[in-house]
Amino acid sequence: MSTETAPAETGFVQPEVDVPALKRVLDGKYAAVRDLVRDNLVDHQQVLEEAETLDAEAFRERVKDIVLSLAATGQTGMGFPEEYGGGADIGASVAAFETMAYGDLSVLVKVGVQFGLFGGAILQLGTQRHHEAYLADLISGRTVGCFAMTETGHGSNVQALGTVATYDVEAQEFVITTPDDASRKDYIGNAARHADVAVVFAQLEIAGHSEGVHAFVVPLREGGQLLPGVRIEDCGRKIGLNGVDNGRIWFDQVRVPRTALLNEFADVTPAGVYESAIENPNRRFFTMLGTLVQGRVCVGGAGINAAKVAMAVAIKYAGHRRQFEATEGAGEQLLLDYGMHQRRLLPLLARTYALHCAQEVVAGELHDVFSGITGDEESRRSLESRAAGTKALGTWHATTTIQECREACGGAGYLSVNRFDALRADTDVFTTFEGDNHVLLQLVAKGLLTDYSSEFSDLDQLGMVRFVAGLAVDTVIEKTNAHKLLERLRDVLPGGDQWDQEAGLLDGNYQMAMFEFREEHLIGGVARRLKRGIDNKMDPGEVFSRVQDHVIAAARAHVERLVLDAFLAKFRGMEEGHNKVALGLLVDLYALSEIERDRAWFMEHGRLTTQRSKAITREIGDLCRKLRPIAEDLVDAFDIPDAMLRAEIIGD
């Protein structure tokens, strides 16, 4: 990293950041798209104040008006086919959505509901008849929709949803029914006031037999009035995102035509015969859900960009706010000159950059898979896993970073005008929607333990336990063999078997080796524990419950390794110069901070001595001091419009 391009420590030259050039690196191929969004954010900057001054109903209407005006600019339709008024560029749509997170997040989420969830379901789960009926109107905003999947009784476990769609063969209609309150659709964005139509996920029943969960287009309102059989209740005030009208929906024998079934993966003939090219019902279900991965990618990116706003406010504030006289006669010292303040903020800045690079990779994979550039089954499974893991780490990072930045700004950070109020409240739910983060990491672990095999893509968690404990365990253990890892390391690191003692702390190969060792050791350990439990005739559910914390740790270690890999690739691909040196410092700080965070594990497993652990802590302090002079330049490279920062505490 920094040592790969920078001179030796004694000859270190402080880099001077070229902010416009670094912005171009961060914005990437979609710089023009991101700039369009920045301009639109400035045009609607008043919404940040309106979120605090308007009553709930007025603010909801204001947010809707902004969403419709954004649709007119083309910003929100970039991922849809051109023949319906879209831009036919999925990567551009993700870049636009991420950048919107610099502004009001109710606007962001309402855009996500309309164009990502509702529109994405019509596009990915529907066929030409649905595209022709709905896409042009939803892209323009003439039709407002919602995505009715989650129920009061089931959120993460979508396969167990209670809403039923029964096929009436004589009428050639589906009858949508909510059997009980646990089966009501809940927390549904756009439902309480604005949605005309819903994509409803329900158990399909034909002649008394269930075919599993499918999606249906169900009208909710006409002329602003609820249609017969539809009952909707407002969810009321939430912790945040109060510009989004979340609601609960009940269906009482609501009839829709046979063609309302979104039939990309399955259909029902007029005579009531169920047809699908995917014979296995579990695989069919997971294939259907896999097409909706774009929402997960977008939420992760939005969380990372919201964290950038918090970082920019806190670092700029610390760059001019003075407190206490550190040297007699020298006046009070800047907050950012204090070692503890650097320690609080700069590792988070490094992690923000790291996650930005990881998000860029997953967004690129999404574009390639859904544009048909890479369409094989393994690529899709890998994308689902990477999207799940990046979303989890990105949204947790937002929560942690926003809180730390708020505290770092003292009492001033508690004032709503300085953005932390809305940032903290509005991003809180990012860790839950589009998949609870712990559940998502279990999805990551499933892919690791089954080697992303399409043959096992339909396994639920108990099936995964049985599979891994049986045929797969030897393969997993062989892949994670510590001796083989050490053999690989000898080729790139000095010291032979003592690589973890001899290699330089700022050697990218050493840092990657530490991340890889942790990942592979944890995955192999999970596989062995699963096998041991099954061999001892334990109930598979009990086996999984006992190793669940181990499963999550293995998945997180895997995703952290992917993040470092993406960050290193971005760094190594840069032109030589000051910006590359600056990014190298951030790579080192991210990697060493992560090793330090988990140093107990590395010490328990013989990969970190007490002396080397202390050396890492010293190195982190030194990296923070090197980054301090360029910290404000590094957040300026995010190019967050001044109108979006708004914070009074950062001055001019």
Side-chain angles (χ1 to χ4, degrees):
M1 279 112 5
S2 58
T3 56
E4 293 172 25
T5 57
E9 179 62 30
T10 54
F12 175 75
V13 176
Q14 182 66 48
E16 296 180 6
V17 174
D18 181 339
V19 173
L22 186 54
K23 172 191 178 290
R24 289 193 293 273
V25 170
L26 295 176
D27 279 0
K29 65 184 290 188
Y30 293 112
V33 170
R34 296 184 191 276
D35 283 340
L36 168 65
V37 176
R38 290 180 177 107
D39 290 342
N40 286 338
L41 288 171
V42 173
D43 288 344
H44 297 289
Q45 62 183 279
Q46 196 63 27
V47 71
L48 295 177
E49 183 177 340
E50 291 167 339
E52 299 159 4
T53 58
L54 295 178
D55 63 40
E57 287 303 316
F59 184 51
R60 286 175 171 182
E61 294 305 315
R62 176 67 176 132
V63 167
K64 178 189 175 185
D65 290 345
I66 292 173
V67 170
L68 295 181
S69 69
L70 292 177
T73 71
Q75 173 186 314
T76 57
M78 292 178 178
F80 292 99
E82 290 179 325
E83 58 264 38
Y84 301 106
D89 192 331
I90 293 170
S93 70
V94 175
F97 189 85
E98 293 170 356
T99 310
M100 283 187 68
Y102 288 163
D104 178 77
L105 296 178
S106 284
V107 175
L108 171 97
V109 170
K110 200 166 184 75
V111 164
V113 170
Q114 170 72 5
F115 304 99
L117 295 178
F118 173 64
I122 297 290
L123 178 64
Q124 300 295 342
L125 302 182
T127 52
Q128 185 175 359
R129 68 191 187 204
H130 304 106
H131 299 167
E132 292 179 351
Y134 295 104
L135 285 185
D137 283 348
L138 76 84
I139 291 168
S140 67
R142 290 188 296 270
T143 295
V144 177
C146 66
F147 183 84
M149 176 183 281
T150 297
E151 296 176 355
T152 304
H154 289 96
S156 297
N157 188 5
V158 177
Q159 277 184 295
L161 293 178
T163 304
V164 178
T166 304
Y167 185 61
D168 181 340
V169 67
E170 291 187 10
Q172 293 189 25
E173 294 175 329
F174 294 105
V175 183
I176 313 296
T177 304
T178 303
D180 50 49
D181 281 350
S183 302
R184 68 187 181 187
K185 298 300 178 181
D186 213 342
Y187 326 116
I188 309 302
N190 282 355
R193 291 289 182 273
H194 298 142
D196 306 304
V197 183
V199 170
V200 177
F201 290 80
Q203 302 285 352
L204 170 58
E205 289 191 357
I206 304 174
H209 177 72
S210 177
E211 298 290 353
V213 172
H214 292 67
F216 304 81
V217 181
V218 182
L220 299 179
R221 293 180 175 89
E222 189 171 309
Q225 300 300 309
L226 290 176
L227 292 169
V230 177
R231 178 161 64 98
I232 294 181
E233 180 181 283
D234 199 316
C235 286
R237 187 163 181 83
K238 309 179 294 290
I239 287 176
L241 299 175
N242 284 297
V244 181
D245 52 316
N246 295 84
R248 303 183 179 101
I249 313 174
W250 291 258
F251 300 99
D252 183 8
Q253 305 289 307
V254 174
R255 288 180 171 268
V256 294
R258 182 183 63 86
T259 54
L261 172 66
L262 294 176
N263 62 333
E264 173 65 19
F265 299 109
D267 208 349
V268 177
T269 69
V273 177
Y274 183 79
E275 298 177 337
S276 176
I278 306 174
E279 190 171 333
N280 184 295
N282 278 344
R283 188 173 305 160
R284 187 187 314 126
F285 170 78
F286 285 114
T287 300
M288 176 185 73
L289 286 193
T291 64
L292 305 176
V293 70
Q294 182 172 341
R296 197 165 283 167
V297 173
C298 286
V299 169
I304 295 163
N305 274 20
K308 292 177 187 176
V309 177
M311 293 259 50
V313 174
I315 286 175
K316 286 174 176 291
Y317 178 66
H320 77 261
R321 170 77 157 125
R322 295 181 181 275
Q323 199 73 201
F324 298 109
E325 187 177 284
T327 304
E328 188 174 353
E332 291 189 291
Q333 184 163 303
L334 291 169
L335 292 181
L336 202 51
D337 288 337
Y338 285 103
M340 190 64 227
H341 216 76
Q342 294 171 12
R343 259 293 198 149
R344 294 172 69 183
L345 296 180
L346 298 184
L348 290 174
L349 179 61
R351 187 170 180 82
T352 303
Y353 265 80
L355 287 165
H356 172 98
C357 296
Q359 174 68 14
E360 187 175 64
V361 171
V362 73
E365 287 189 5
L366 176 79
H367 178 83
D368 290 349
V369 167
F370 283 88
S371 300
I373 298 171
T374 55
D376 60 282
E377 189 71 17
E378 185 174 351
S379 295
R380 285 182 173 268
R381 299 300 172 199
S382 175
L383 167 63
E384 290 170 21
S385 176
R386 186 184 283 268
T390 306
K391 184 268 182 183
L393 265 60
T395 55
W396 271 329
H397 174 67
T399 298
T400 300
T401 299
I402 292 165
Q403 179 63 27
E404 189 64 48
C405 289
R406 203 295 299 158
E407 293 182 27
C409 292
Y414 201 62
L415 301 180
S416 294
V417 70
N418 293 319
R419 292 288 326 259
F420 295 113
D421 177 6
L423 285 171
R424 188 168 59 177
D426 290 345
T427 60
D428 194 318
V429 76
F430 284 19
T431 62
T432 300
F433 65 28
E434 286 299 323
D436 173 89
N437 285 354
H438 287 94
V439 175
L440 292 183
L441 288 183
Q442 288 180 190
L443 173 65
V444 173
K446 173 184 166 183
L448 294 171
L449 292 166
T450 59
D451 202 26
Y452 305 108
S453 172
S454 60
E455 183 179 353
F456 304 102
S457 63
D458 58 320
L459 292 175
D460 59 16
Q461 64 186 32
L462 299 186
M464 180 195 75
V465 172
R466 294 188 181 97
F467 169 63
V468 173
L471 298 176
V473 69
D474 292 336
T475 302
V476 173
I477 292 172
E478 179 67 16
K479 283 185 62 179
T480 58
N481 187 301
H483 294 299
K484 290 193 172 184
L485 174 62
L486 295 178
E487 288 174 7
R488 296 202 308 270
L489 296 178
R490 288 194 188 99
D491 295 334
V492 295
L493 290 172
D497 290 338
Q498 299 299 311
W499 62 271
D500 50 351
Q501 309 305 319
E502 299 296 329
L505 296 177
L506 304 184
D507 184 332
N509 291 321
Y510 163 73
Q511 294 165 359
M512 182 58 74
M514 291 288 276
F515 279 51
E516 286 183 345
F517 177 85
R518 179 179 59 176
E519 174 191 0
E520 298 192 13
H521 193 287
L522 284 165
I523 294 168
V526 169
R528 284 186 287 271
R529 288 183 68 190
L530 290 172
K531 177 174 173 55
R532 187 161 58 246
I534 294 298
D535 287 349
N536 290 337
K537 311 300 182 186
M538 289 177 62
D539 176 77
E542 178 66 17
V543 173
F544 183 79
S545 180
R546 290 191 179 191
V547 304
Q548 205 165 10
D549 59 335
H550 198 157
V551 166
I552 297 298
R556 182 160 190 153
H558 169 71
V559 183
E560 293 284 4
R561 195 264 302 165
L562 293 179
V563 172
L564 178 59
D565 188 58
F567 205 2
L568 274 170
K570 173 65 77 174
F571 163 73
R572 288 169 173 161
M574 289 180 69
E575 294 181 2
E576 298 299 327
H578 285 269
N579 279 3
K580 185 171 185 177
V581 173
L583 203 70
L585 295 173
L586 290 168
V587 176
D588 287 335
L589 183 55
Y590 161 68
L592 294 185
S593 294
E594 175 59 18
I595 294 171
E596 183 190 52
R597 182 192 67 80
D598 209 12
R599 70 168 121 202
W601 188 93
F602 286 108
M603 295 176 82
E604 285 176 355
H605 294 82
R607 293 273 74 95
L608 195 63
T609 63
T610 302
Q611 292 77 13
R612 199 161 176 84
S613 175
K614 292 178 179 179
I616 286 175
T617 297
R618 288 193 298 272
E619 194 66 62
I620 290 172
D622 188 55
L623 288 165
C624 286
R625 287 186 289 276
K626 290 175 179 175
L627 284 164
R628 187 267 174 261
I630 58 173
E632 292 187 65
D633 290 335
L634 292 170
V635 295
D636 283 343
F638 297 148
D639 197 23
I640 303 167
D642 289 341
M644 294 301 97
L645 291 176
R646 191 183 69 153
E648 294 177 349
I649 58 174
I650 62 177
D652 297 327

Short mmCIF file of all heavy atoms in Angstrom, two decimals, residues 593-628:
data_model
loop_
_atom_site.label_atom_id
_atom_site.label_comp_id
_atom_site.label_asym_id
_atom_site.label_seq_id
_atom_site.Cartn_x
_atom_site.Cartn_y
_atom_site.Cartn_z
N SER A 593 -6.45 -1.20 11.10
CA SER A 593 -7.52 -0.97 12.07
C SER A 593 -8.40 -2.20 12.21
O SER A 593 -8.86 -2.53 13.31
CB SER A 593 -8.37 0.24 11.65
OG SER A 593 -7.62 1.43 11.69
N GLU A 594 -8.65 -2.89 11.10
CA GLU A 594 -9.46 -4.11 11.16
C GLU A 594 -8.72 -5.22 11.89
O GLU A 594 -9.31 -5.96 12.68
CB GLU A 594 -9.85 -4.54 9.74
CG GLU A 594 -10.59 -5.87 9.66
CD GLU A 594 -11.90 -5.92 10.42
OE1 GLU A 594 -12.46 -4.86 10.77
OE2 GLU A 594 -12.37 -7.05 10.70
N ILE A 595 -7.41 -5.35 11.66
CA ILE A 595 -6.63 -6.35 12.40
C ILE A 595 -6.62 -6.00 13.88
O ILE A 595 -6.79 -6.87 14.74
CB ILE A 595 -5.20 -6.44 11.83
CG1 ILE A 595 -5.22 -6.99 10.40
CG2 ILE A 595 -4.32 -7.33 12.73
CD1 ILE A 595 -3.89 -6.91 9.68
N GLU A 596 -6.44 -4.73 14.20
CA GLU A 596 -6.46 -4.31 15.59
C GLU A 596 -7.81 -4.57 16.24
O GLU A 596 -7.89 -5.03 17.39
CB GLU A 596 -6.12 -2.82 15.69
CG GLU A 596 -6.04 -2.33 17.15
CD GLU A 596 -5.94 -0.82 17.24
OE1 GLU A 596 -6.77 -0.13 16.62
OE2 GLU A 596 -5.03 -0.33 17.93
N ARG A 597 -8.90 -4.30 15.51
CA ARG A 597 -10.25 -4.52 16.05
C ARG A 597 -10.44 -5.98 16.45
O ARG A 597 -11.09 -6.28 17.46
CB ARG A 597 -11.30 -4.13 15.01
CG ARG A 597 -12.75 -4.28 15.50
CD ARG A 597 -13.75 -4.18 14.37
NE ARG A 597 -13.65 -5.29 13.44
CZ ARG A 597 -14.19 -6.50 13.66
NH1 ARG A 597 -14.84 -6.76 14.78
NH2 ARG A 597 -14.06 -7.45 12.75
N ASP A 598 -9.87 -6.89 15.67
CA ASP A 598 -10.06 -8.32 15.92
C ASP A 598 -8.77 -8.95 16.44
O ASP A 598 -8.53 -10.14 16.25
CB ASP A 598 -10.49 -9.00 14.62
CG ASP A 598 -11.36 -10.24 14.87
OD1 ASP A 598 -11.81 -10.44 16.02
OD2 ASP A 598 -11.58 -11.01 13.93
N ARG A 599 -7.94 -8.15 17.12
CA ARG A 599 -6.62 -8.66 17.51
C ARG A 599 -6.72 -9.84 18.48
O ARG A 599 -5.85 -10.72 18.47
CB ARG A 599 -5.77 -7.55 18.08
CG ARG A 599 -6.17 -7.01 19.43
CD ARG A 599 -5.05 -6.13 19.98
NE ARG A 599 -5.50 -4.77 20.23
CZ ARG A 599 -4.70 -3.73 20.31
NH1 ARG A 599 -3.41 -3.88 20.13
NH2 ARG A 599 -5.16 -2.53 20.57
N ALA A 600 -7.79 -9.87 19.28
CA ALA A 600 -7.93 -11.00 20.21
C ALA A 600 -8.01 -12.31 19.45
O ALA A 600 -7.38 -13.31 19.83
CB ALA A 600 -9.18 -10.81 21.08
N TRP A 601 -8.77 -12.31 18.33
CA TRP A 601 -8.89 -13.54 17.53
C TRP A 601 -7.53 -13.92 16.95
O TRP A 601 -7.11 -15.09 17.01
CB TRP A 601 -9.90 -13.35 16.40
CG TRP A 601 -10.19 -14.63 15.67
CD1 TRP A 601 -11.19 -15.52 15.93
CD2 TRP A 601 -9.42 -15.19 14.58
NE1 TRP A 601 -11.10 -16.59 15.06
CE2 TRP A 601 -10.03 -16.41 14.23
CE3 TRP A 601 -8.30 -14.77 13.88
CZ2 TRP A 601 -9.55 -17.21 13.20
CZ3 TRP A 601 -7.81 -15.58 12.86
CH2 TRP A 601 -8.43 -16.78 12.52
N PHE A 602 -6.82 -12.95 16.38
CA PHE A 602 -5.53 -13.25 15.77
C PHE A 602 -4.53 -13.74 16.82
O PHE A 602 -3.72 -14.65 16.54
CB PHE A 602 -4.98 -12.01 15.06
CG PHE A 602 -5.67 -11.69 13.76
CD1 PHE A 602 -6.52 -10.60 13.67
CD2 PHE A 602 -5.48 -12.48 12.64
CE1 PHE A 602 -7.17 -10.30 12.48
CE2 PHE A 602 -6.12 -12.20 11.44
CZ PHE A 602 -6.97 -11.10 11.36
N MET A 603 -4.59 -13.19 18.02
CA MET A 603 -3.68 -13.64 19.08
C MET A 603 -4.07 -15.04 19.56
O MET A 603 -3.19 -15.89 19.79
CB MET A 603 -3.68 -12.63 20.22
CG MET A 603 -3.11 -11.28 19.82
SD MET A 603 -3.18 -10.01 21.09
CE MET A 603 -1.73 -10.43 22.05
N GLU A 604 -5.36 -15.30 19.69
CA GLU A 604 -5.82 -16.64 20.09
C GLU A 604 -5.36 -17.71 19.11
O GLU A 604 -5.12 -18.85 19.50
CB GLU A 604 -7.35 -16.68 20.17
CG GLU A 604 -7.94 -15.98 21.38
CD GLU A 604 -9.46 -15.98 21.34
OE1 GLU A 604 -10.04 -16.43 20.33
OE2 GLU A 604 -10.07 -15.53 22.32
N HIS A 605 -5.26 -17.33 17.84
CA HIS A 605 -4.94 -18.31 16.81
C HIS A 605 -3.49 -18.21 16.34
O HIS A 605 -3.14 -18.71 15.27
CB HIS A 605 -5.91 -18.17 15.63
CG HIS A 605 -7.32 -18.53 15.99
ND1 HIS A 605 -8.18 -17.66 16.63
CD2 HIS A 605 -8.00 -19.70 15.85
CE1 HIS A 605 -9.33 -18.27 16.85
NE2 HIS A 605 -9.25 -19.50 16.39
N GLY A 606 -2.64 -17.57 17.17
CA GLY A 606 -1.21 -17.63 16.95
C GLY A 606 -0.68 -16.81 15.80
O GLY A 606 0.44 -17.04 15.33
N ARG A 607 -1.46 -15.85 15.33
CA ARG A 607 -1.02 -15.06 14.18
C ARG A 607 -0.55 -13.67 14.56
O ARG A 607 -0.17 -12.88 13.71
CB ARG A 607 -2.16 -14.95 13.15
CG ARG A 607 -2.52 -16.25 12.49
CD ARG A 607 -1.66 -16.54 11.24
NE ARG A 607 -0.30 -16.95 11.51
CZ ARG A 607 0.11 -18.21 11.57
NH1 ARG A 607 -0.74 -19.20 11.43
NH2 ARG A 607 1.38 -18.48 11.78
N LEU A 608 -0.60 -13.34 15.86
CA LEU A 608 -0.24 -11.99 16.29
C LEU A 608 0.38 -12.07 17.68
O LEU A 608 -0.28 -12.50 18.63
CB LEU A 608 -1.50 -11.10 16.31
CG LEU A 608 -1.30 -9.58 16.38
CD1 LEU A 608 -0.57 -9.07 15.14
CD2 LEU A 608 -2.66 -8.89 16.50
N THR A 609 1.64 -11.65 17.77
CA THR A 609 2.29 -11.62 19.07
C THR A 609 1.91 -10.33 19.80
O THR A 609 1.42 -9.37 19.19
CB THR A 609 3.81 -11.66 18.93
OG1 THR A 609 4.24 -10.47 18.24
CG2 THR A 609 4.26 -12.89 18.16
N THR A 610 2.17 -10.29 21.09
CA THR A 610 1.91 -9.08 21.86
C THR A 610 2.71 -7.91 21.31
O THR A 610 2.19 -6.79 21.15
CB THR A 610 2.29 -9.32 23.33
OG1 THR A 610 1.54 -10.41 23.83
CG2 THR A 610 2.01 -8.08 24.17
N GLN A 611 3.98 -8.16 20.97
CA GLN A 611 4.83 -7.09 20.47
C GLN A 611 4.32 -6.55 19.14
O GLN A 611 4.30 -5.34 18.90
CB GLN A 611 6.27 -7.60 20.30
CG GLN A 611 6.98 -7.92 21.60
CD GLN A 611 6.53 -9.26 22.20
OE1 GLN A 611 5.86 -10.06 21.54
NE2 GLN A 611 6.90 -9.49 23.47
N ARG A 612 3.92 -7.47 18.26
CA ARG A 612 3.44 -7.04 16.94
C ARG A 612 2.09 -6.32 17.06
O ARG A 612 1.81 -5.37 16.32
CB ARG A 612 3.34 -8.24 16.01
CG ARG A 612 3.32 -7.85 14.53
CD ARG A 612 3.70 -9.06 13.69
NE ARG A 612 3.62 -8.81 12.26
CZ ARG A 612 4.56 -8.25 11.53
NH1 ARG A 612 5.67 -7.82 12.10
NH2 ARG A 612 4.41 -8.10 10.23
N SER A 613 1.28 -6.75 17.98
CA SER A 613 0.00 -6.08 18.22
C SER A 613 0.24 -4.63 18.64
O SER A 613 -0.42 -3.70 18.16
CB SER A 613 -0.79 -6.82 19.29
OG SER A 613 -1.97 -6.14 19.62
N LYS A 614 1.19 -4.44 19.53
CA LYS A 614 1.53 -3.08 19.96
C LYS A 614 2.10 -2.26 18.80
O LYS A 614 1.82 -1.05 18.68
CB LYS A 614 2.53 -3.12 21.11
CG LYS A 614 1.94 -3.68 22.41
CD LYS A 614 3.01 -3.74 23.50
CE LYS A 614 2.43 -4.27 24.81
NZ LYS A 614 3.46 -4.37 25.87
N ALA A 615 2.88 -2.92 17.94
CA ALA A 615 3.45 -2.23 16.78
C ALA A 615 2.34 -1.76 15.84
O ALA A 615 2.42 -0.67 15.25
CB ALA A 615 4.42 -3.14 16.05
N ILE A 616 1.28 -2.57 15.68
CA ILE A 616 0.15 -2.18 14.83
C ILE A 616 -0.53 -0.94 15.40
O ILE A 616 -0.87 -0.01 14.66
CB ILE A 616 -0.83 -3.36 14.68
CG1 ILE A 616 -0.24 -4.41 13.74
CG2 ILE A 616 -2.19 -2.88 14.17
CD1 ILE A 616 -1.06 -5.68 13.61
N THR A 617 -0.72 -0.93 16.71
CA THR A 617 -1.34 0.24 17.34
C THR A 617 -0.49 1.49 17.12
O THR A 617 -1.03 2.57 16.82
CB THR A 617 -1.53 -0.01 18.84
OG1 THR A 617 -2.44 -1.11 19.01
CG2 THR A 617 -2.08 1.20 19.55
N ARG A 618 0.82 1.37 17.25
CA ARG A 618 1.70 2.52 16.99
C ARG A 618 1.60 2.96 15.54
O ARG A 618 1.57 4.17 15.24
CB ARG A 618 3.15 2.18 17.34
CG ARG A 618 3.43 2.06 18.83
CD ARG A 618 4.93 2.02 19.10
NE ARG A 618 5.58 0.87 18.48
CZ ARG A 618 5.72 -0.33 19.06
NH1 ARG A 618 5.23 -0.52 20.29
NH2 ARG A 618 6.33 -1.31 18.44
N GLU A 619 1.55 2.01 14.63
CA GLU A 619 1.49 2.33 13.21
C GLU A 619 0.19 3.05 12.87
O GLU A 619 0.17 3.98 12.05
CB GLU A 619 1.61 1.05 12.37
CG GLU A 619 1.88 1.28 10.90
CD GLU A 619 3.24 1.91 10.65
OE1 GLU A 619 4.27 1.30 10.99
OE2 GLU A 619 3.27 3.05 10.11
N ILE A 620 -0.91 2.64 13.49
CA ILE A 620 -2.19 3.31 13.26
C ILE A 620 -2.11 4.77 13.68
O ILE A 620 -2.58 5.67 12.97
CB ILE A 620 -3.33 2.57 13.99
CG1 ILE A 620 -3.60 1.23 13.31
CG2 ILE A 620 -4.61 3.42 14.05
CD1 ILE A 620 -4.56 0.33 14.08
N GLY A 621 -1.50 5.02 14.83
CA GLY A 621 -1.33 6.40 15.28
C GLY A 621 -0.51 7.20 14.30
O GLY A 621 -0.82 8.37 14.01
N ASP A 622 0.55 6.59 13.76
CA ASP A 622 1.40 7.29 12.80
C ASP A 622 0.64 7.58 11.51
O ASP A 622 0.76 8.68 10.93
CB ASP A 622 2.64 6.44 12.51
CG ASP A 622 3.66 7.18 11.67
OD1 ASP A 622 4.07 8.28 12.06
OD2 ASP A 622 4.03 6.65 10.59
N LEU A 623 -0.16 6.61 11.04
CA LEU A 623 -0.95 6.82 9.83
C LEU A 623 -1.96 7.95 10.02
O LEU A 623 -2.18 8.76 9.12
CB LEU A 623 -1.68 5.52 9.45
CG LEU A 623 -0.79 4.40 8.89
CD1 LEU A 623 -1.54 3.07 8.89
CD2 LEU A 623 -0.33 4.75 7.47
N CYS A 624 -2.56 8.01 11.19
CA CYS A 624 -3.51 9.10 11.47
C CYS A 624 -2.81 10.46 11.40
O CYS A 624 -3.37 11.42 10.85
CB CYS A 624 -4.14 8.91 12.85
SG CYS A 624 -5.37 7.58 12.93
N ARG A 625 -1.60 10.53 11.94
CA ARG A 625 -0.87 11.80 11.89
C ARG A 625 -0.53 12.18 10.45
O ARG A 625 -0.54 13.37 10.09
CB ARG A 625 0.39 11.71 12.75
CG ARG A 625 0.10 11.72 14.25
CD ARG A 625 1.37 11.79 15.07
NE ARG A 625 2.14 10.55 15.02
CZ ARG A 625 1.93 9.49 15.80
NH1 ARG A 625 0.95 9.51 16.70
NH2 ARG A 625 2.69 8.41 15.70
N LYS A 626 -0.22 11.20 9.62
CA LYS A 626 0.10 11.49 8.22
C LYS A 626 -1.15 11.92 7.43
O LYS A 626 -1.06 12.71 6.48
CB LYS A 626 0.71 10.25 7.56
CG LYS A 626 2.11 9.93 8.06
CD LYS A 626 2.62 8.61 7.47
CE LYS A 626 4.03 8.31 7.96
NZ LYS A 626 4.51 6.98 7.50
N LEU A 627 -2.29 11.41 7.82
CA LEU A 627 -3.53 11.73 7.12
C LEU A 627 -4.14 13.05 7.60
O LEU A 627 -4.93 13.67 6.87
CB LEU A 627 -4.55 10.60 7.30
CG LEU A 627 -4.30 9.35 6.46
CD1 LEU A 627 -5.11 8.17 6.98
CD2 LEU A 627 -4.65 9.62 4.99
N ARG A 628 -3.78 13.46 8.81
CA ARG A 628 -4.41 14.65 9.37
C ARG A 628 -4.33 15.89 8.45
O ARG A 628 -5.34 16.57 8.24
CB ARG A 628 -3.80 14.96 10.75
CG ARG A 628 -4.52 16.10 11.49
CD ARG A 628 -3.88 17.45 11.24
NE ARG A 628 -4.62 18.55 11.82
CZ ARG A 628 -5.46 19.34 11.14
NH1 ARG A 628 -5.72 19.10 9.87
NH2 ARG A 628 -6.04 20.35 11.75
#
